Amino acid sequence: MYFWLIAVLLYVPLLLLMVLSVNDSITLGFPLKGFTLRWYQAALDNPIMLDALRNSLLLAVVSAFVATILGSLAAMAIVRFRFPGRTFLAAVTGAPLVIPFVIVGAALLVALRWAGFELSLWTVGVGQVVLCIPLAAIIVGSGVVGFDQALEEASMDLGATYAQTQLLVTLPILAPVLIASFITCVVSAFNEFAISVFLVGIEPVLPVYLYSQLRNTTSGPLIMAVASAVILTSFALVLVAWALQGGTRRGGRATPGSAKPASTKELDATLS
Amino acid sequence: MLVTPPGAALLMFFVLPLIAMLLFSFREGTFSPEREMFTLRHVVHFLEGRDVQRLLWESALTSAVISTIAVTLAYPLAYYLAFGARERRNILLLLVLLPAMTSYLLRVMAWKIILGSEGLLNTFLIWTGVTAEGFTGLLHNRNAVIVTLVYVWVPFAALPIFASLMRIDTRLFEGAADLGARPWETFGLITLPLSLPGIAGAFLFVFVPTLGEWVTPMLVGGTEGVMFGNIIQDTFTRGLNWPLGSVMSLAMISLTVVLLGVPVVVYRSFRKVRTRVA
C-alpha cells in the first residue's frame, strides 16, 4: 500500500549510509567490495573526530537542559494562564522552528559579535538553545495540556504550598515528558548544522567537522561510519523519548467532540 | 514569573538579534567603527542587483514546487494514519517520523550518494538494464535539490495534515453515507475541504524554511541549483560583508511576509463575504 512504500523509501537513504560504512572500499560507490569494520576503527583513531564528538555531546546535553527548562516554563505559562502578551510569547516561542535557519544563524552571528563575543562553543550553544526551545515547549506543552489540575488543587487543599505542590506533585507527573523533551533536544542539538556553521569558533563540532571532511575524498567511508553511529544512536534516543511520552498521548482522537461514540448510549450521554 | 526566563532568553537571543540584523543593514562595513553607522549603500546595491533578485524569486519558486510535492506526497500518508491505522496509529506515526528526527545533514549526504554517477540510483538503473552507463545529470542541479528536500520534508508535512484530519468528526462520514454519497464524493466534499487548514499549514511549514535553504543546494545543487540562502550564507561567512548579508536576509523576510500575508488577507475577506452571504 502507498503508506508502506513511502515509509520504506524514507529509510532507504539511511540504510545506504550504514551499508557503505561497512563496505571495504575507499570510494563511496557501488559495487560493494566486502565487509569490514575498519572505518569505525579509523573514526575512533581520529583525534579531531573524537574532539568534535566530545564537544558536540557536551554542548547538546547542556543546550538540551537549558532549552527544556525554558521551554517548559513557556509551555506552562502559555497553556495555563491568560495574560497580556500571551499570543506574542506563543508566537516567539514557536518562531525559531519556522523561520529559515540561515536567518536565525546570521542574526545571531551579527548580534553576538556586535556585542563583543568571540565565536566559540558558547555561541554554538546559544544557537542550539534558541532552536530547541520550541521543541521543548511543544513536547512539554502536550504534557501540560493533558495534566489534570485537580491533582494540584487537591494537593493544596491538603495544605501544601504552591511551591511544594509544583515540586512534589506536578514535577514527578510531568517527569516523563520533561525527560522526553530533554532527549529530543539532545538529538536535535547534537545534529544541528545550519546554525552551527555560522556560530562555530575554533573548537570543532561534529556536524560541521563531518561537513568539512566531505571535501576530502579519502575520508568518505569514515564519515559513513560516524554517520551510521549517529543515526542509530539518534533512533534509539528518539524511541526512548517517544516511549516516555506515551503516557500523555491517547491512541485515538484528541478532541472529545470528534470521537466516534462506542455505542448509542455514549452518544446520548455526550449529547445530553 | 513563569514567563520571564524564557521570555527574556528568547528576547535576547532571538528577537534582539533579528533587530540587530535590521540595524546592521545600514552599517557601512562589517568591522568599521560605530561612527560610520548609517548608510544606504548596501540597500541600494541589493536593489540594483538584478541577478540576485532573480535568484530570490527562483528560490521562492523552487520552494513552492518542493512544498507542493511534499504536501501531495504527505497527504495520503496522513490520511492512512488518521483513518486507516487505528490501534497501530502511534507506532506508524513514529515509523514515519523517525528518519526525520535524525541528522538533517546526514540525510542530505545520503542523497548525494544516491544521485551520484556511481551512486545507488545509477547502479540500480544499470543493473536493471535501463541504461548502459548511467545518468550524470542526476546530481548537481535544481532537480536534485528538489528531490532531496522533498525527501527531507515529507514526514514533517504529514503532521499538520494528520492533525487536521484527526479533528474531523467521523460521524460526518456516516451521515454522508446515509445520504447516499459515494466514497469519492465523501472525500471531495467533506474530508478535503475540512482538511484544507492542515494542507495550508503543511504547505507553509515546508515553504518558509526551504526558502532559506542552503545546505542542500550546497551539497547536491552544484552551480545550477544555487538558492538564495547560499548567497546569504556565503556573504556572511566568506564574503564577510555582513551589512549586505543583512539586507539580503531582510529581503527574504519581507518576501516571506508578503507571500504569507496575501493569503491571510484573502482568507479574511473571503470569510467576511461568506458570512454576509449566509
Side-chain angles (χ1 to χ4, degrees):
Chain A
M1 192 129 176
Y2 177 86
F3 177 83
W4 292 108
L5 176 69
I6 300 284
V8 166
L9 282 180
L10 283 176
Y11 284 89
V12 164
L14 301 176
L15 289 173
L16 175 68
L17 291 183
M18 294 193 224
V19 162
L20 285 177
S21 74
V22 291
N23 184 26
D24 197 357
S25 158
I26 194 116
T27 48
L28 287 180
F30 287 80
L32 301 176
K33 297 252 171 65
F35 187 88
T36 174
L37 287 175
R38 62 178 164 125
W39 305 120
Y40 287 91
Q41 184 59 47
L44 289 173
D45 290 336
N46 186 332
I48 311 181
M49 178 75 73
L50 293 178
D51 210 14
L53 181 65
R54 193 175 33 91
N55 287 338
S56 280
L57 272 175
L58 204 60
L59 210 49
V61 166
V62 172
S63 301
F65 186 69
V66 174
T68 300
I69 294 180
L70 293 178
S72 315
L73 292 176
M76 290 273 279
I78 295 173
V79 171
R80 287 197 177 182
F81 304 102
R82 313 258 133 164
F83 53 90
R86 177 172 175 244
T87 341
F88 181 70
L89 181 66
V92 175
T93 308
L97 273 186
V98 210
I99 294 194
F101 295 160
V102 72
I103 294 189
V104 181
L108 270 175
L109 175 67
V110 165
L112 287 171
R113 290 287 285 128
W114 200 359
F117 293 102
E118 289 296 322
L119 293 182
S120 68
L121 287 183
W122 289 102
T123 50
V124 178
V126 167
Q128 288 179 350
V129 169
V130 169
L131 219 49
C132 289
I133 287 182
L135 271 182
I138 293 176
I139 296 178
V140 177
S142 69
V144 176
V145 163
F147 185 86
D148 191 355
Q149 289 196 261
L151 294 168
E152 285 186 338
E153 289 168 19
S155 158
M156 292 201 277
D157 284 343
L158 291 169
T161 63
Y162 185 72
Q164 284 175 320
T165 311
Q166 292 299 309
L167 208 54
L168 298 169
V169 176
T170 318
L171 201 56
I173 296 184
L174 282 181
V177 184
L178 289 172
I179 299 179
S181 156
F182 176 74
I183 295 178
T184 312
C185 289
V186 166
V187 174
S188 193
F190 184 81
N191 288 319
E192 209 294 307
F193 175 71
I195 295 192
S196 304
V197 158
F198 281 95
L199 301 171
V200 74
I202 305 179
E203 311 274 332
V205 184
L206 192 62
V208 178
Y209 178 68
L210 285 181
Y211 174 72
S212 68
Q213 289 301 301
L214 273 181
R215 316 270 160 163
N216 188 344
T217 40
T218 53
S219 55
L222 197 147
I223 299 179
M224 295 297 111
V226 178
S228 307
V230 169
I231 291 175
L232 288 173
T233 319
S234 302
F235 272 9
L237 287 175
V238 171
L239 283 171
V240 171
W242 189 268
L244 283 171
Q245 266 190 285
T248 52
R249 209 184 314 114
R250 313 260 167 264
R253 296 171 170 269
T255 38
S258 62
K260 193 176 156 117
S263 66
T264 38
K265 272 214 198 102
E266 216 186 295
L267 179 55
D268 284 301
T270 46
L271 287 178
S272 56
Chain B
M1 33 86 225
L2 268 182
V3 169
T4 342
L10 282 170
L11 210 69
M12 253 203 310
F13 294 116
F14 184 63
V15 178
L16 276 184
L18 288 173
I19 299 180
M21 194 164 71
L22 168 69
L23 294 177
F24 225 84
S25 319
F26 303 115
R27 199 160 173 166
E28 173 63 40
T30 312
F31 303 110
S32 47
E34 292 292 332
R35 53 188 158 78
E36 292 172 26
M37 189 55 206
F38 196 79
T39 168
L40 290 173
R41 181 160 75 89
H42 300 285
V43 180
V44 169
H45 182 218
F46 175 73
L47 289 174
E48 279 176 356
R50 289 269 152 252
D51 286 336
V52 175
Q53 288 179 41
R54 192 162 38 91
L55 185 63
L56 181 56
W57 279 113
E58 283 179 7
S59 298
L61 202 62
T62 310
S63 291
V65 167
I66 295 170
S67 308
T68 314
I69 301 179
V71 169
T72 313
L73 289 179
Y75 194 95
L77 216 64
Y79 191 87
Y80 181 73
L81 281 173
F83 299 121
R86 298 216 199 243
E87 314 86 33
R88 298 182 299 171
R89 181 179 292 133
N90 272 343
I91 305 201
L92 293 183
L93 187 60
L94 177 65
L95 196 69
V96 168
L97 285 181
L98 204 54
M101 302 203 66
T102 56
S103 168
Y104 160 75
L105 179 65
L106 297 178
R107 297 171 82 199
V108 177
M109 267 199 232
W111 272 94
K112 194 178 167 67
I113 300 175
I114 292 179
L115 295 174
S117 44
E118 272 161 40
L120 186 64
L121 196 53
N122 268 325
T123 311
F124 180 70
L125 291 175
I126 295 176
W127 179 65
T128 54
V130 172
T131 168
E133 277 188 7
F135 299 106
T136 48
L138 287 176
L139 196 56
H140 297 309
N141 56 36
R142 179 145 296 175
N143 292 330
V145 175
I146 293 179
V147 168
T148 310
L149 282 175
V150 166
Y151 166 78
V152 168
W153 282 98
V154 161
F156 295 112
L159 290 176
I161 303 176
F162 173 68
S164 75
L165 284 174
M166 288 285 278
R167 258 176 279 204
I168 300 179
D169 193 336
T170 48
R171 290 174 293 180
L172 288 172
F173 299 142
E174 286 176 26
D178 288 343
L179 290 170
R182 285 177 295 241
W184 281 111
E185 289 176 326
T186 315
F187 177 74
L189 293 171
I190 299 183
T191 321
L192 196 57
L194 284 179
S195 60
L196 226 41
I199 296 177
F203 184 86
L204 290 178
F205 192 42
V206 179
F207 181 77
V208 177
T210 49
L211 189 58
E213 262 295 336
W214 62 270
V215 180
T216 304
M218 184 172 275
L219 286 177
V220 301
T223 36
E224 193 202 304
V226 170
M227 285 179 74
F228 196 71
N230 293 102
I231 306 287
I232 295 184
Q233 192 262 341
D234 195 68
T235 310
F236 269 103
T237 47
R238 272 195 327 149
L240 284 182
N241 190 345
W242 292 2
L244 186 57
S246 306
V247 171
M248 290 176 172
S249 304
L250 287 171
M252 186 159 78
I253 296 178
S254 317
L255 180 66
T256 314
V257 167
V258 165
L259 287 179
L260 292 189
V262 165
V264 168
V265 167
V266 165
Y267 180 69
R268 291 239 178 100
S269 45
F270 180 64
R271 290 193 78 183
K272 281 197 207 121
V273 168
R274 283 191 76 188
T275 43
R276 241 184 278 139
V277 166

